[in-house]
Amino acid sequence: MIIILNNSKAAQIKQLLNTHFGGKTDIFTHGNRIALNKVTPDQLTDDEKAGIADIIMDHPGAVQSSRALHPEDTIIKLPHTQIGGYGNFVMMAGPCSVESEAHVSAMAKVAKDGGATVLRGGAFKPRTSPYSFQGLGVAGLKYLREAADKQNMDMITEVMDEEHLEVVCQYADMIQIGARNMQNFSLLKAVGKTRKPVLLKRGMSATIDDLLNAAEYIAAGGNTQIALSERGVRTFDDKYTRNTFDVSAVPVLKKLTHYPIIADPSHAEGHWDLVTPMALAATASGSDGIVVEIHDNPEKALSDGPQALKPKTYKKMTSEVFALHDMLNSFNQQEGAVVNG
Amino acid sequence: MIIILNNSKAAQIKQLLNTHFGGKTDIFTHGNRIALNKVTPDQLTDDEKAGIADIIMDHPGAVQSSRALHPEDTIIKLPHTQIGGYGNFVMMAGPCSVESEAHVSAMAKVAKDGGATVLRGGAFKPRTSPYSFQGLGVAGLKYLREAADKQNMDMITEVMDEEHLEVVCQYADMIQIGARNMQNFSLLKAVGKTRKPVLLKRGMSATIDDLLNAAEYIAAGGNTQIALSERGVRTFDDKYTRNTFDVSAVPVLKKLTHYPIIADPSHAEGHWDLVTPMALAATASGSDGIVVEIHDNPEKALSDGPQALKPKTYKKMTSEVFALHDMLNSFNQQEGAVVNG
Amino acid sequence: MIIILNNSKAAQIKQLLNTHFGGKTDIFTHGNRIALNKVTPDQLTDDEKAGIADIIMDHPGAVQSSRALHPEDTIIKLPHTQIGGYGNFVMMAGPCSVESEAHVSAMAKVAKDGGATVLRGGAFKPRTSPYSFQGLGVAGLKYLREAADKQNMDMITEVMDEEHLEVVCQYADMIQIGARNMQNFSLLKAVGKTRKPVLLKRGMSATIDDLLNAAEYIAAGGNTQIALSERGVRTFDDKYTRNTFDVSAVPVLKKLTHYPIIADPSHAEGHWDLVTPMALAATASGSDGIVVEIHDNPEKALSDGPQALKPKTYKKMTSEVFALHDMLNSFNQQEGAVVNG
Amino acid sequence: MIIILNNSKAAQIKQLLNTHFGGKTDIFTHGNRIALNKVTPDQLTDDEKAGIADIIMDHPGAVQSSRALHPEDTIIKLPHTQIGGYGNFVMMAGPCSVESEAHVSAMAKVAKDGGATVLRGGAFKPRTSPYSFQGLGVAGLKYLREAADKQNMDMITEVMDEEHLEVVCQYADMIQIGARNMQNFSLLKAVGKTRKPVLLKRGMSATIDDLLNAAEYIAAGGNTQIALSERGVRTFDDKYTRNTFDVSAVPVLKKLTHYPIIADPSHAEGHWDLVTPMALAATASGSDGIVVEIHDNPEKALSDGPQALKPKTYKKMTSEVFALHDMLNSFNQQEGAVVNG
């Protein structure tokens, strides 16, 4: 349960609760709110009750991730980008894989020209088959860093294991945990010990609660610079799309958690011509940004060519997405949607 | 396969093909295109080949539904509404169930005030349990008709069986086939024999091809006044949403078929506060309209109260959706998205 | 809730409860149990409480289907077959579609030789595409009846609509409602008005509760001669099987409901070589019978050839299944599995 | 493609093919079969073609896992157990988590008494929430080893990361990779470098091909001592079962791959009373063994209590499963099921 304390007595009651329950359960504090795992209201003393404004019983088990404990938006600050928070909107773009120094450099320029401030690209690639291209590794990290620096962009790339966590953190501004590793709890714990911003992608059959609990593994280590990414889930129909893009996960997550939500229409759809309509849909649903794959020659891409936008298509998409986000901001300025009126 | 005929020789080749394959397979003609089911190019004679501009092998089995046979948008014309076609956008709104003459009349006024031109409401209700409210039946049809007429609106309502098809057609401008009846082939055939416009809702685990084949049952009877509706599919996570709204079914269907696509965020989400973001998302993805449930007192609704928008919320939603659709129109006027540039 | 009455006072308390709640809710009685929909224990008077042995709150909403109301197995009695109940096990076999008088007659002999006592075959076929073979209709019913009579077998066939319900009932000993019509509530209600035994197949994404509620529509009309069939559900993987055979639905349903459960490995798997192992699996899980498709020349079958067993394969399967069922009976005679010891 | 070589010319043609394609693609050899990834028959020279008996084009991309390359069963030999191969059947049992030295020792005795030859137990636990019990770690490994040794059993336990791989390999006879790590490719590669037998569990939404490709990551490192485990997948219905036990994955995998298949009804079902019927079902479908969780006091278990069998229930289950497996062996001795007769 999460307790909202009377402001006047907050410090005093926190101390009482910490003394009473400390060591017996997990306790988390945020402002005048305090979360006590597995404690029920009937365990509270009269003195404790006297300082309580409200108690919230219905919240995700991933309590640090919860808006019930932490009502305001988390804002992740990268050198060139703010992710999350009212009015902010981030475009992340780049090739699926880093293919060469020259190629990622060229793609970074395209990404920047289209309004992206974060360059994405894979140096370590989680491929379904061991016989597929596995990425350039550390060389890829270097190329990404140089390409991002040349364009004054931030850089995000995937980390697949603890062994490479240090080197990835050394090069990247933000690290990504892929869908297949969403419940690689050892990796989550290791990332939790860093203070590097992280984009956690939703697993292919992860429920909303699974995703929040995965984030909680990171937060439990002290790293709360977390963004979550919807990238499509597995359903019974994959003939015309690679996955089923669960767009409504965006408003659901915005309601439940304070972390920013980034939508990935490229992996969700798997076909370039569906990326623009679904980038618009995700933006309209309230996402804090879009991550998208681009390539100047998709037929020759070393991975995921069919979903890559070519430069002109990409720039048309971003201009539309930015215009749509501006319009949405104007809607929300008028009124929030908390009460059904 | 679908054959595109040389315009100059179209009439002559059509005759050849009809003589050659007539009675042996299903043949469908649209403009200078002709579809021959289960025929392969090697079965064509040299004379036939001489009049052919192109052959399309890769198209849905539901060939009459296919853009490959029928490239231009189907536009359904109701007395007060056009559904489908560039620039048209329809708002359908009303209560889940018709509850009384006065209530549906009041809801029709709200619907109209928010910009809807089609009133929806259930008189025959397909409820999961036999012990739930089953609808007012024919009395409900009358109340709906009167309420729509008073507001100069069109009216749509569900038909559940052949027994009531005639009476529903008598009152409604457009009939709806519900998700649970999407593969009730006897009903589809019966509706195919009418000339009443029909909104066919996607079944809860219907693939895109299943939906097109269901539409094909109607078209095979001669009724091509069909619109399709995405209303959420079943997946592994239903904790925070009633179904998973497959928004990308909208652009997928727009690519494959000429029928208009109407999105139903109310049934997909099941929670009123997700309806507005997902109505925006569906509009952004390219849908031809939205169907939404409204109620002035959702707690007392006879069915599906939690997903109903109250009047003020509804009107804010429609104003945002209409503004978004206007913006999308301006995007598309600049350029189509057929080539990855 | 379901109330178990003290035997000594059962008649008296039933009368009290009927007087108290009659007309206000749905009431169902079975032996000394009485179900009151949407009534809670606090609404009971002291006099009523005095005659109550126990109250069951946790049961399916489909209360007539529930073992909590009706603990003993339903046994369906056909002229040549008993379906359900300890020790009974039914084999239903036949071609997917009735193809001709001679063919169904030959297949009936094969079915009988393998130990089947119920002949199955489709005269009205629910096909995904309107361009596929739709069945022989009433002629198919006649051929089925004659073929069954010649072998002293019972006959089951699908009914797709109310229009043909009478004629199907005239020819068949048991009628089948297909997966696609599982929530065709109008058809369920019509079948509920007959007294013909019915096999209700689980819809492709129907939950266990959905299936029980569909059965409840039939029971609500007074027809409780119901058997349920698991035939595979839709999941994310259909490369090597047509559907995912939810074998554990068998013991789940055996626990929840008194209706017999018939497993259909043919439609679940879609490939003949998986039918025998999965018929064995379903039998081992506790099903009351198996329904299986056979054909002497699957390559030429008018529908679903790849899943049909040829005669020798079929007979080997049935001999194994019967031996396995005998062994299971011997296990259960020793001890039930109600308590975890 | 996989080439079956003429026995007489096998050595010579292998050399030709290795010279021709070596370094250009992945080549795998098994007996007189040779797999060439991404090579097509038209690339073969006439000399090469002259020594070829047959070419198999249709096989899983995970070619080393494929029966098309490796037709005979893989048999894993542990000190006390053989896993895989005709007639062998393994029972693995133990508590979900190692809870204490005394408890795992007592459970090992129960396991052995019921016929298990492999003791299972979790020392490192992949829990959905970071606030749940995470296992005893290395101490748990020691207790497991001692308990297994005392009963002359083999021991299997899960490894969650490369960091603990060495210590787990030191204590265990067989290591387990959990469902959540099935596509943790870095871990798979690390395990591939060991020569420790491994049980790879199917991910919650992993397709059959995904599972085979995950195994291929291990095999690509040179470790082919692999068994695969079906443990339930995620679908739309989890009210009465934890997951949907995809029993037919057993015969599908037996057909596609030479690795042994172990079924896990405990995790699939999540409820003890469904474990016995589904252990029987999995055995009947052809699995090479069962892994099952036991506990003497499930209410007090530190994890997954509801699915644990108590000792008496467990022993009744194993006696039935063993009897069923004996009967199945007698069926198969008569005739294989490769041709539909």
Side-chain angles (χ1 to χ4, degrees):
Chain A
M1 67 178 179
I2 294 171
I3 293 168
I4 307 179
L5 301 168
N6 273 328
N7 276 324
S8 60
K9 300 191 176 178
Q12 177 197 342
I13 304 296
K14 266 186 213 173
Q15 205 169 7
L16 282 178
L17 291 169
N18 273 313
T19 307
H20 186 176
F21 297 104
K24 296 175 198 149
T25 189
D26 301 296
I27 302 180
F28 304 99
T29 303
H30 182 80
N32 66 336
R33 298 182 181 219
I34 185 161
L36 302 166
N37 267 359
K38 295 171 197 169
V39 174
T40 50
D42 57 285
Q43 295 175 259
L44 298 174
T45 65
D46 286 346
D47 282 354
E48 289 161 355
K49 284 179 187 166
I52 291 175
D54 203 0
I55 297 182
I56 302 173
M57 297 305 294
D58 185 25
H59 60 81
V63 69
Q64 294 193 73
S65 304
S66 167
R67 275 203 190 272
L69 179 65
H70 183 305
E72 66 279 11
D73 291 337
T74 282
I75 301 178
I76 298 173
K77 291 176 187 168
L78 307 183
H80 306 281
T81 314
Q82 292 206 355
I83 305 175
Y86 184 78
N88 290 323
F89 189 84
V90 62
M91 184 63 61
M92 303 180 173
C96 181
S97 296
V98 182
E99 302 188 357
S100 71
E101 188 172 5
H103 185 260
V104 73
S105 174
M107 289 305 96
K109 182 165 183 350
V110 172
K112 183 67 180 292
D113 287 353
T117 59
V118 181
L119 176 66
R120 63 139 290 148
F124 298 96
K125 297 295 303 172
R127 305 303 299 281
T128 300
S129 167
Y131 310 127
S132 302
F133 174 60
Q134 306 274 314
L136 295 182
V138 177
L141 296 177
K142 288 182 189 164
Y143 302 155
L144 269 169
R145 183 72 266 164
E146 288 165 11
D149 286 346
K150 216 186 299 176
Q151 302 295 336
N152 292 313
M153 295 174 81
D154 301 309
M155 187 272 266
I156 184 171
T157 195
E158 179 162 348
V159 61
M160 286 179 61
D161 46 54
E162 296 166 67
E163 185 189 342
H164 296 95
L165 179 57
E166 194 179 325
V167 70
V168 171
C169 284
Q170 189 183 320
Y171 284 99
D173 299 299
M174 188 169 192
I175 58 180
Q176 178 181 305
I177 295 180
R180 290 164 187 78
N181 276 322
M182 193 203 84
Q183 290 191 316
N184 176 345
F185 299 121
S186 299
L187 180 59
L188 296 175
K189 285 179 180 175
V191 167
K193 287 181 197 146
T194 73
R195 291 299 173 267
K196 185 64 79 174
V198 55
L199 180 66
L200 177 65
K201 305 197 92 173
R202 182 181 183 183
M204 262 176 287
S205 63
T207 62
I208 295 291
D209 281 347
D210 286 343
L211 176 57
L212 294 177
N213 274 310
E216 198 79 357
Y217 264 94
I218 301 171
N223 183 357
T224 56
Q225 297 292 294
I226 302 170
L228 306 176
S229 177
E230 162 60 31
R231 43 79 71 215
V233 294
R234 277 212 166 141
T235 67
F236 55 85
D237 198 2
D238 60 359
K239 179 165 178 182
Y240 298 109
T241 57
R242 185 168 168 174
N243 293 284
T244 297
F245 196 16
D246 182 11
V247 181
S248 83
V250 175
V252 166
L253 285 166
K254 295 296 290 178
K255 182 165 61 170
L256 294 174
T257 183
H258 48 93
Y259 298 135
I261 313 302
I262 307 297
D264 176 354
S266 302
H267 285 90
E269 300 299 326
H271 299 272
W272 74 267
D273 59 334
L274 299 171
V275 170
T276 295
M278 297 315 295
L280 290 165
T283 303
S285 77
S287 75
D288 296 292
I290 298 288
V291 55
V292 71
E293 293 190 355
I294 59 176
H295 203 284
D296 50 351
N297 191 356
E299 293 75 24
K300 296 285 173 71
L302 294 183
S303 57
D304 287 349
Q307 73 201 31
L309 297 184
K310 293 181 76 169
K312 202 169 147 194
T313 308
Y314 161 70
K315 287 174 198 168
K316 177 161 161 44
M317 180 275 286
T318 61
S319 73
E320 293 178 7
V321 162
F322 290 140
L324 171 54
H325 187 255
D326 287 346
M327 176 183 267
L328 279 180
N329 271 347
S330 71
F331 294 158
N332 292 330
Q333 277 160 359
Q334 295 161 23
E335 188 185 348
V338 180
V339 176
N340 197 359
Chain B
M1 68 178 179
I2 294 171
I3 293 167
I4 306 179
L5 301 167
N6 273 329
N7 275 325
S8 60
K9 301 190 176 178
Q12 177 197 341
I13 304 296
K14 265 186 214 173
Q15 205 168 7
L16 282 178
L17 292 168
N18 272 313
T19 307
H20 186 176
F21 297 103
K24 296 174 196 151
T25 188
D26 301 297
I27 302 180
F28 304 99
T29 302
H30 181 79
N32 65 338
R33 299 183 180 217
I34 185 161
L36 302 166
N37 266 1
K38 294 171 196 168
V39 175
T40 50
D42 57 285
Q43 295 175 257
L44 297 175
T45 65
D46 286 347
D47 281 355
E48 288 161 356
K49 283 179 188 164
I52 291 175
D54 203 2
I55 297 182
I56 302 173
M57 297 304 295
D58 185 24
H59 60 81
V63 70
Q64 293 194 73
S65 304
S66 167
R67 275 204 190 271
L69 178 65
H70 184 306
E72 67 279 12
D73 291 336
T74 282
I75 300 179
I76 297 173
K77 290 176 188 168
L78 307 183
H80 306 280
T81 314
Q82 293 207 355
I83 305 176
Y86 183 78
N88 290 323
F89 190 84
V90 61
M91 183 64 61
M92 302 178 174
C96 180
S97 297
V98 182
E99 303 187 356
S100 70
E101 187 170 7
H103 186 261
V104 73
S105 175
M107 290 303 98
K109 181 164 183 350
V110 172
K112 183 68 180 293
D113 287 352
T117 58
V118 181
L119 176 66
R120 64 140 289 148
F124 298 96
K125 298 295 304 172
R127 306 301 301 280
T128 301
S129 166
Y131 310 127
S132 301
F133 173 61
Q134 307 274 315
L136 296 183
V138 176
L141 296 177
K142 290 182 190 164
Y143 302 155
L144 269 168
R145 182 72 267 166
E146 289 164 10
D149 286 346
K150 215 186 300 175
Q151 302 296 336
N152 291 313
M153 296 175 80
D154 300 309
M155 188 272 266
I156 183 171
T157 195
E158 178 161 348
V159 62
M160 286 179 63
D161 47 53
E162 297 165 68
E163 185 189 341
H164 296 95
L165 179 56
E166 194 178 325
V167 69
V168 172
C169 284
Q170 188 184 321
Y171 284 98
D173 298 297
M174 187 169 192
I175 58 179
Q176 177 181 304
I177 295 179
R180 290 164 188 78
N181 275 322
M182 193 203 83
Q183 290 191 316
N184 177 346
F185 299 122
S186 300
L187 180 60
L188 296 174
K189 286 179 181 174
V191 168
K193 286 180 199 148
T194 73
R195 291 298 173 267
K196 185 63 80 173
V198 54
L199 180 66
L200 177 64
K201 306 198 91 173
R202 182 182 183 183
M204 262 177 287
S205 64
T207 63
I208 295 291
D209 281 347
D210 287 343
L211 176 57
L212 294 178
N213 274 309
E216 198 78 358
Y217 265 94
I218 302 171
N223 183 357
T224 56
Q225 296 293 295
I226 302 169
L228 305 176
S229 177
E230 162 61 30
R231 44 78 73 215
V233 293
R234 278 215 165 139
T235 68
F236 55 86
D237 198 1
D238 60 359
K239 180 164 176 183
Y240 299 110
T241 56
R242 185 167 166 174
N243 293 285
T244 297
F245 197 17
D246 182 11
V247 181
S248 82
V250 175
V252 166
L253 286 166
K254 293 297 291 178
K255 182 164 60 169
L256 294 174
T257 184
H258 48 93
Y259 298 134
I261 314 301
I262 308 298
D264 175 354
S266 302
H267 285 90
E269 300 300 326
H271 300 273
W272 73 268
D273 59 333
L274 300 171
V275 171
T276 296
M278 297 315 296
L280 290 165
T283 303
S285 77
S287 75
D288 296 293
I290 299 287
V291 56
V292 71
E293 293 189 355
I294 58 177
H295 204 283
D296 50 352
N297 191 357
E299 294 74 24
K300 295 285 173 71
L302 293 183
S303 58
D304 288 349
Q307 73 201 28
L309 298 184
K310 293 181 76 170
K312 202 169 149 194
T313 308
Y314 160 70
K315 288 174 197 168
K316 178 161 160 44
M317 180 276 285
T318 61
S319 73
E320 293 178 8
V321 161
F322 291 140
L324 172 54
H325 186 257
D326 287 346
M327 176 182 268
L328 278 179
N329 271 348
S330 71
F331 294 158
N332 292 330
Q333 277 160 357
Q334 295 160 25
E335 187 186 348
V338 179
V339 176
N340 197 359
Chain C
M1 65 178 182
I2 293 171
I3 293 168
I4 306 179
L5 300 168
N6 274 329
N7 276 325
S8 60
K9 301 190 177 178
Q12 174 196 345
I13 304 296
K14 266 186 213 173
Q15 204 169 10
L16 281 179
L17 291 169
N18 273 313
T19 308
H20 186 177
F21 297 104
K24 296 175 197 149
T25 188
D26 301 298
I27 302 181
F28 305 100
T29 302
H30 182 80
N32 67 335
R33 299 184 180 217
I34 185 162
L36 302 165
N37 266 0
K38 292 171 198 168
V39 174
T40 50
D42 57 286
Q43 295 174 257
L44 298 174
T45 65
D46 287 345
D47 282 354
E48 289 160 356
K49 283 179 188 165
I52 292 176
D54 203 0
I55 298 183
I56 302 172
M57 296 305 295
D58 185 26
H59 60 81
V63 70
Q64 293 192 73
S65 304
S66 167
R67 274 205 192 271
L69 179 64
H70 184 305
E72 65 279 12
D73 291 336
T74 282
I75 301 179
I76 298 174
K77 291 176 187 168
L78 307 183
H80 306 279
T81 314
Q82 292 207 354
I83 306 176
Y86 182 80
N88 290 323
F89 188 84
V90 61
M91 183 64 60
M92 302 180 174
C96 181
S97 297
V98 182
E99 303 187 356
S100 71
E101 187 171 5
H103 186 261
V104 75
S105 175
M107 289 305 97
K109 181 164 184 349
V110 172
K112 183 68 180 293
D113 287 351
T117 58
V118 180
L119 175 66
R120 62 139 290 147
F124 298 96
K125 299 293 304 171
R127 306 301 300 279
T128 301
S129 165
Y131 310 127
S132 301
F133 174 61
Q134 306 275 314
L136 296 183
V138 176
L141 296 177
K142 289 181 190 164
Y143 302 155
L144 269 169
R145 182 72 267 163
E146 290 164 10
D149 286 346
K150 216 187 300 178
Q151 302 295 336
N152 291 313
M153 297 175 80
D154 300 309
M155 187 271 266
I156 184 171
T157 196
E158 178 161 348
V159 62
M160 287 180 62
D161 45 54
E162 297 166 66
E163 186 189 341
H164 296 95
L165 179 56
E166 194 178 325
V167 69
V168 172
C169 285
Q170 187 184 322
Y171 284 100
D173 299 298
M174 188 171 192
I175 57 179
Q176 177 181 305
I177 295 180
R180 291 164 187 77
N181 275 323
M182 192 202 84
Q183 290 191 315
N184 177 345
F185 298 120
S186 299
L187 180 59
L188 297 174
K189 285 179 182 174
V191 168
K193 286 180 199 147
T194 74
R195 290 300 173 267
K196 185 64 79 173
V198 55
L199 180 66
L200 177 64
K201 305 198 89 172
R202 183 181 182 184
M204 262 177 286
S205 63
T207 62
I208 295 291
D209 281 346
D210 287 343
L211 176 57
L212 293 178
N213 274 308
E216 198 79 357
Y217 264 94
I218 301 171
N223 183 356
T224 56
Q225 297 292 296
I226 301 170
L228 306 176
S229 177
E230 162 61 31
R231 44 77 73 214
V233 294
R234 278 212 164 141
T235 68
F236 55 86
D237 198 2
D238 59 0
K239 180 165 176 182
Y240 299 109
T241 56
R242 185 167 167 174
N243 293 285
T244 297
F245 196 17
D246 182 11
V247 181
S248 82
V250 175
V252 167
L253 285 166
K254 293 296 291 178
K255 183 165 57 169
L256 294 174
T257 184
H258 48 93
Y259 298 135
I261 313 302
I262 308 297
D264 176 353
S266 303
H267 285 90
E269 300 299 326
H271 300 272
W272 74 268
D273 59 334
L274 300 171
V275 170
T276 296
M278 298 314 296
L280 289 165
T283 303
S285 77
S287 74
D288 296 292
I290 298 288
V291 56
V292 71
E293 293 189 355
I294 58 177
H295 204 283
D296 50 352
N297 191 356
E299 295 74 25
K300 297 285 173 70
L302 294 183
S303 58
D304 287 348
Q307 74 201 27
L309 298 184
K310 292 180 76 170
K312 201 169 148 194
T313 308
Y314 161 70
K315 288 174 198 168
K316 176 160 161 47
M317 180 276 286
T318 60
S319 72
E320 294 178 7
V321 162
F322 290 139
L324 172 53
H325 186 257
D326 286 346
M327 175 182 268
L328 279 179
N329 272 346
S330 71
F331 294 160
N332 292 330
Q333 278 161 355
Q334 296 160 24
E335 186 185 351
V338 179
V339 176
N340 197 359
Chain D
M1 67 177 181
I2 293 172
I3 293 167
I4 306 179
L5 300 168
N6 274 328
N7 276 325
S8 59
K9 299 191 178 177
Q12 177 196 342
I13 304 296
K14 266 185 211 171
Q15 205 169 9
L16 282 178
L17 291 168
N18 273 313
T19 308
H20 186 176
F21 296 105
K24 295 175 199 149
T25 188
D26 300 297
I27 302 180
F28 304 100
T29 303
H30 182 79
N32 67 335
R33 298 183 181 219
I34 186 162
L36 302 166
N37 266 1
K38 293 170 197 169
V39 175
T40 50
D42 57 286
Q43 294 174 259
L44 298 174
T45 64
D46 287 346
D47 282 354
E48 289 161 356
K49 283 178 188 166
I52 292 175
D54 202 1
I55 297 182
I56 302 172
M57 296 305 295
D58 185 24
H59 61 81
V63 70
Q64 293 193 73
S65 304
S66 167
R67 275 205 189 270
L69 179 64
H70 184 305
E72 66 278 14
D73 290 337
T74 282
I75 300 178
I76 298 174
K77 291 177 187 166
L78 306 184
H80 306 279
T81 313
Q82 292 206 355
I83 305 175
Y86 183 79
N88 290 322
F89 188 83
V90 60
M91 183 64 59
M92 303 179 173
C96 180
S97 298
V98 182
E99 302 188 356
S100 71
E101 187 171 4
H103 186 261
V104 74
S105 174
M107 290 304 97
K109 181 161 184 350
V110 172
K112 183 69 180 292
D113 287 351
T117 59
V118 181
L119 176 66
R120 64 139 290 147
F124 299 97
K125 298 295 304 171
R127 306 302 300 279
T128 302
S129 165
Y131 309 127
S132 301
F133 174 60
Q134 306 275 314
L136 296 182
V138 176
L141 296 177
K142 289 182 191 165
Y143 302 155
L144 269 170
R145 181 73 268 165
E146 289 165 10
D149 286 346
K150 215 186 301 177
Q151 303 294 336
N152 291 313
M153 296 175 80
D154 302 309
M155 187 272 268
I156 184 171
T157 195
E158 178 162 348
V159 61
M160 286 180 62
D161 47 53
E162 297 166 66
E163 186 189 341
H164 296 95
L165 179 56
E166 194 178 325
V167 70
V168 172
C169 284
Q170 188 184 321
Y171 285 99
D173 299 297
M174 188 171 193
I175 57 180
Q176 177 181 306
I177 296 180
R180 289 163 188 79
N181 276 322
M182 193 203 83
Q183 290 191 315
N184 177 346
F185 299 121
S186 299
L187 180 59
L188 296 175
K189 286 178 180 174
V191 168
K193 287 182 198 146
T194 73
R195 291 299 172 268
K196 185 64 78 175
V198 55
L199 180 67
L200 176 64
K201 304 197 91 173
R202 183 181 184 184
M204 261 176 288
S205 64
T207 63
I208 295 290
D209 281 346
D210 286 343
L211 176 57
L212 294 177
N213 274 309
E216 198 78 356
Y217 265 94
I218 301 171
N223 183 357
T224 55
Q225 296 294 294
I226 302 169
L228 306 177
S229 178
E230 162 60 30
R231 45 76 73 214
V233 294
R234 277 211 167 143
T235 67
F236 54 85
D237 197 2
D238 60 359
K239 180 164 176 183
Y240 299 109
T241 57
R242 185 168 168 174
N243 293 284
T244 297
F245 197 17
D246 182 11
V247 181
S248 82
V250 175
V252 166
L253 285 166
K254 294 296 292 177
K255 181 165 60 169
L256 294 174
T257 183
H258 48 92
Y259 298 134
I261 312 303
I262 308 297
D264 176 353
S266 303
H267 284 90
E269 300 300 325
H271 300 272
W272 75 266
D273 59 333
L274 300 172
V275 170
T276 295
M278 297 315 295
L280 290 166
T283 303
S285 77
S287 75
D288 296 292
I290 298 288
V291 55
V292 71
E293 293 188 356
I294 58 177
H295 204 285
D296 50 351
N297 192 355
E299 294 73 25
K300 295 285 173 71
L302 294 182
S303 57
D304 287 350
Q307 74 201 28
L309 298 184
K310 293 182 76 170
K312 202 169 148 195
T313 308
Y314 160 71
K315 287 173 199 168
K316 176 160 160 48
M317 180 275 287
T318 60
S319 72
E320 294 178 6
V321 162
F322 291 140
L324 172 54
H325 187 255
D326 287 345
M327 175 182 268
L328 278 179
N329 271 347
S330 71
F331 294 158
N332 291 330
Q333 278 160 358
Q334 297 159 23
E335 186 186 350
V338 180
V339 176
N340 197 359

